[in-house]
């Protein structure tokens, strides 16, 4: 059977890698793919990104299953288009993807259905937003109401930082937000204390299967300093998600969300990612929803998944996830992101990448912002690579990942030296 993965990041490289291991999969196409999927004989890149052209391709090639990576395709209605043609696709409809594509929609939904989250207000008028921030004080969180590739959130520790973020989003659009209808809006919410974790599940509209827990590092620099990014590294499992926290997340957040969406007439299918803030008492609250797998969380999660992903997603698209029980490698997986010079605001492209280690049983480099040109591999985006390794402990996985990363060279490379430090500290 042929499979199509939509996207060009490290998440899509990892999904394609896992899908290619299924005995029933004869070919994995990646659209548009990256330099890593171009150089690997297991995959074929397809230079398409338009929703209708992708559906035409899936029809012509008799694609058995399409898996959506990034949120932009979901917000553009790719699932609706494929389904209208009777094509099998795993992802959220355009209406359901509003849980991610509109922070205001998500916050209003959580309030309506009693899902624990931070107090908030929504603004389109800069003066009103500035006045609200002055009244509330800092720290405070400013979120763009639209898609911003993981960079549309500013955790402002001071009032000047909060005011700057409002101007960035509402007036300058320095974060490159794809605004929703009605123009630029910000959601301003209470700052939550605690430790953040990624809680990702598979949904078929009714049934839910949780994936292994994970935790990513959003800040650019060591010790969680510097600007927010799309993620500088991740590991799985996340020790902060204890069995008690896991049960609460399923009971108080995930199931009420799936049931609430169904009640609202918008059944949720696809990957549902709840960003959790877990306080000192072990109480999780929802920071945000994403309607796709996380990046870089996908890379360590896929390394730990022992089940056949193709078979699992066929169940998910048949509405039979209640028949699925996932098998996991008991080891820890940890991924370190290598980013381009100038990331996150102005990443430089076109630098030659060398020294990539060969894939091994316990270490693999998933590629993201790369392109193959004249036989060379070049940087082509902000997050360039995710060097991912398995180990018996967080420390061992960390050592293996940094060891694999050591020989990789490109001008201006940036990476954190402390991915996994929270889990080691625990």
């Amino acid at each position: 059977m042929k499979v199509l993965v939509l996207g060009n990041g490290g998440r899509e490289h990892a999904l394609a890698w896992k899908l290619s291991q299924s005995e029933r999969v004869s070919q994995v196409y990646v659209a548009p793919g990256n330099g890593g999927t171009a150089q690997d004989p297991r995959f074929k890149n397809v230079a398409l990104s338009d929703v209708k052209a992708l559906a035409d391709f899936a029809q012509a090639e008799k694609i058995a299953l399409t898996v959506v990576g990034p949120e932009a395709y979901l917000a553009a209605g790719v699932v609706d288009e494929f389904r209208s043609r009777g094509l099998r696709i795993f992802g959220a409809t355009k209406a359901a993807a509003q849980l991610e594509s509109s922070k205001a929609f998500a916050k209003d939904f959580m309030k309506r259905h009693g899902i624990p989250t931070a107090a908030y207000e929504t603004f389109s008028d800069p003066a009103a937003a500035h006045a609200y921030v002055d009244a509330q004080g800092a720290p405070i969180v400013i979120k763009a109401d639209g898609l911003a590739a993981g960079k549309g959130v500013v955790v402002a520790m001071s009032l000047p930082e909060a005011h700057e973020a409002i101007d960035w989003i509402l007036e300058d659009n320095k974060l490159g937000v794809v605004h929703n209808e009605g123009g630029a809006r910000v959601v301003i919410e209470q700052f939550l204390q605690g430790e953040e974790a990624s809680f990702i599940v598979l949904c078929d509209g009714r049934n839910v299967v949780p994936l292994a827990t994970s935790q990513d590092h959003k800040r650019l620099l060591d010790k969680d300093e510097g600007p927010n990014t799309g993620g500088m590294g991740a590991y799985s499992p996340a020790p902060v998600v204890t069995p008690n926290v896991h049960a609460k997340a399923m009971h108080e957040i995930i199931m009420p969300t799936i049931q609430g969406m169904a009640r609202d007439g918008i059944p949720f299918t696809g990957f549902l990612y709840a960003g959790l803030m877990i306080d000192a008492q072990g109480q999780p609250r929802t920071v945000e929803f994403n309607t796709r797998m996380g990046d870089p969380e996908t890379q360590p999660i896929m390394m730990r998944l022992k089940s056949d992903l193709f078979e699992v997603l066929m169940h998910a698209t048949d509405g039979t996830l209640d028949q699925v029980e996932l098998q996991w490698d008991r080891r820890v997986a940890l991924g370190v992101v290598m980013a381009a010079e100038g990331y996150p605001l102005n990443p430089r492209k076109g630098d030659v990448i060398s020294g990539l280690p060969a894939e091994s049983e316990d270490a693999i480099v998933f590629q993201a912002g790369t392109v193959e040109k004249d036989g060379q591999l070049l940087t082509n985006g902000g997050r360039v690579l995710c060097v991912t390794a398995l180990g018996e402990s967080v420390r061992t996985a960390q050592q293996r990942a940094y060891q694999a990363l050591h020989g990789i060279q490109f001008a201006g490379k940036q990476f954190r030296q402390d991915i996994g430090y929270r889990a080691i500290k625990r």
Side-chain angles (χ1 to χ4, degrees), residues 350-365:
D351 290 309
V352 176
I353 303 164
S354 63
L356 286 179
E359 182 179 323
S360 70
E361 275 210 7
D362 56 16
I364 179 169
V365 180

Side-chain angles (χ1 to χ4, degrees), residues 131-148:
Y132 180 77
V133 160
D134 281 332
Q136 295 297 312
I140 197 162
V141 181
I142 317 293
K143 294 181 175 179
D145 179 37
L147 295 177

Side-chain angles (χ1 to χ4, degrees), residues 320-361:
T320 54
L321 273 178
D322 53 335
Q323 297 173 26
V324 168
E325 196 171 322
L326 298 178
Q327 304 298 315
W328 299 98
D329 192 313
R330 59 181 178 75
R331 290 176 293 174
V332 173
L334 182 143
V336 181
V337 168
M338 300 184 77
E341 182 164 315
Y343 181 74
L345 284 180
N346 298 298
R348 191 172 73 194
K349 298 180 181 180
D351 290 309
V352 176
I353 303 164
S354 63
L356 286 179
E359 182 179 323
S360 70
E361 275 210 7

Side-chain angles (χ1 to χ4, degrees), residues 59-72:
Q59 271 182 320
E61 283 295 328
K62 296 186 170 52
I63 299 292
L65 171 70
T66 299
V67 182
V68 188
E71 59 278 19

Side-chain angles (χ1 to χ4, degrees), residues 13-342:
H13 190 177
L15 289 169
W17 172 80
K18 190 66 199 172
L19 286 161
S20 72
Q21 293 167 18
S22 173
E23 286 181 7
R24 288 178 67 199
V25 171
S26 57
Q27 181 64 61
V28 178
Y29 293 99
V30 191
N34 58 40
T37 52
Q39 291 183 336
D40 193 320
R42 291 172 291 191
F43 316 121
K44 276 187 189 168
N45 281 2
V46 181
L48 295 173
S49 55
D50 175 74
V51 165
K52 283 191 165 46
L54 287 164
D56 290 342
F57 174 82
Q59 271 182 320
E61 283 295 328
K62 296 186 170 52
I63 299 292
L65 171 70
T66 299
V67 182
V68 188
E71 59 278 19
Y73 285 109
L74 300 170
V78 73
V79 171
D80 310 68
E81 177 66 28
F82 271 58
R83 284 189 186 164
S84 74
R85 303 193 195 192
L87 295 164
R88 187 187 288 260
I89 185 167
F90 186 65
T93 61
K94 184 175 184 174
Q98 288 179 99
L99 276 178
E100 175 168 9
S101 63
S102 172
K103 295 283 188 282
F105 174 92
K107 295 296 283 191
D108 291 348
F109 171 85
M110 285 187 264
K111 190 177 187 178
R112 197 163 62 247
H113 292 284
I115 294 161
T117 189
Y120 73 101
E121 292 291 340
T122 304
F123 299 93
S124 51
D125 173 33
H130 286 302
Y132 180 77
V133 160
D134 281 332
Q136 295 297 312
I140 197 162
V141 181
I142 317 293
K143 294 181 175 179
D145 179 37
L147 295 177
K151 298 188 285 289
V153 176
V154 177
V155 180
M157 301 311 288
S158 66
L159 284 176
E161 209 181 338
H163 290 304
E164 184 182 39
I166 291 166
D167 290 336
W168 273 10
I169 295 164
L170 288 182
E171 306 202 84
D172 310 336
N173 198 10
K174 275 195 182 165
L175 298 175
V177 182
V178 180
H179 292 303
N180 294 306
E181 283 175 29
R185 288 194 298 184
V186 287
V187 173
I188 302 179
E189 61 182 47
Q190 162 200 14
F191 174 79
L192 295 177
Q193 293 280 4
E195 194 169 339
E196 213 171 326
S198 307
F199 200 95
I200 308 172
V201 300
L202 302 168
C203 313
D204 66 10
R206 186 177 69 252
N207 305 298
V208 172
V209 174
L211 295 176
T213 61
S214 58
Q215 194 164 19
D216 78 334
H217 295 257
K218 285 268 185 272
R219 299 279 189 168
L220 181 69
L221 306 172
D222 286 4
K223 298 178 184 168
D224 293 323
E225 292 179 355
N228 254 349
T229 70
M232 292 301 291
Y235 52 90
S236 172
V240 68
V241 184
T242 62
N244 186 40
V245 170
H246 194 286
K248 281 185 176 177
M250 285 297 289
H251 180 67
E252 297 173 17
I253 295 169
I254 299 296
M255 292 316 296
T257 299
I258 299 306
Q259 290 156 2
M261 290 292 278
R263 274 204 303 278
D264 288 355
I266 316 171
F268 190 92
T269 56
F271 298 107
L272 179 66
Y273 169 134
L276 305 181
M277 186 65 77
I278 301 155
D279 67 18
Q281 289 72 45
Q283 184 60 45
R285 281 193 277 181
T286 317
V287 175
E288 64 177 359
F289 283 121
N290 294 323
T291 56
R292 37 77 192 181
M293 283 289 281
D295 190 343
E297 295 96 332
T298 305
Q299 291 88 313
I301 289 172
M302 287 300 118
M303 276 201 88
R304 290 190 61 221
L305 181 63
K306 293 175 89 168
S307 304
D308 183 321
L309 182 62
F310 176 76
E311 298 291 356
V312 170
L313 296 184
M314 292 298 273
H315 274 291
T317 47
D318 276 337
T320 54
L321 273 178
D322 53 335
Q323 297 173 26
V324 168
E325 196 171 322
L326 298 178
Q327 304 298 315
W328 299 98
D329 192 313
R330 59 181 178 75
R331 290 176 293 174
V332 173
L334 182 143
V336 181
V337 168
M338 300 184 77
E341 182 164 315

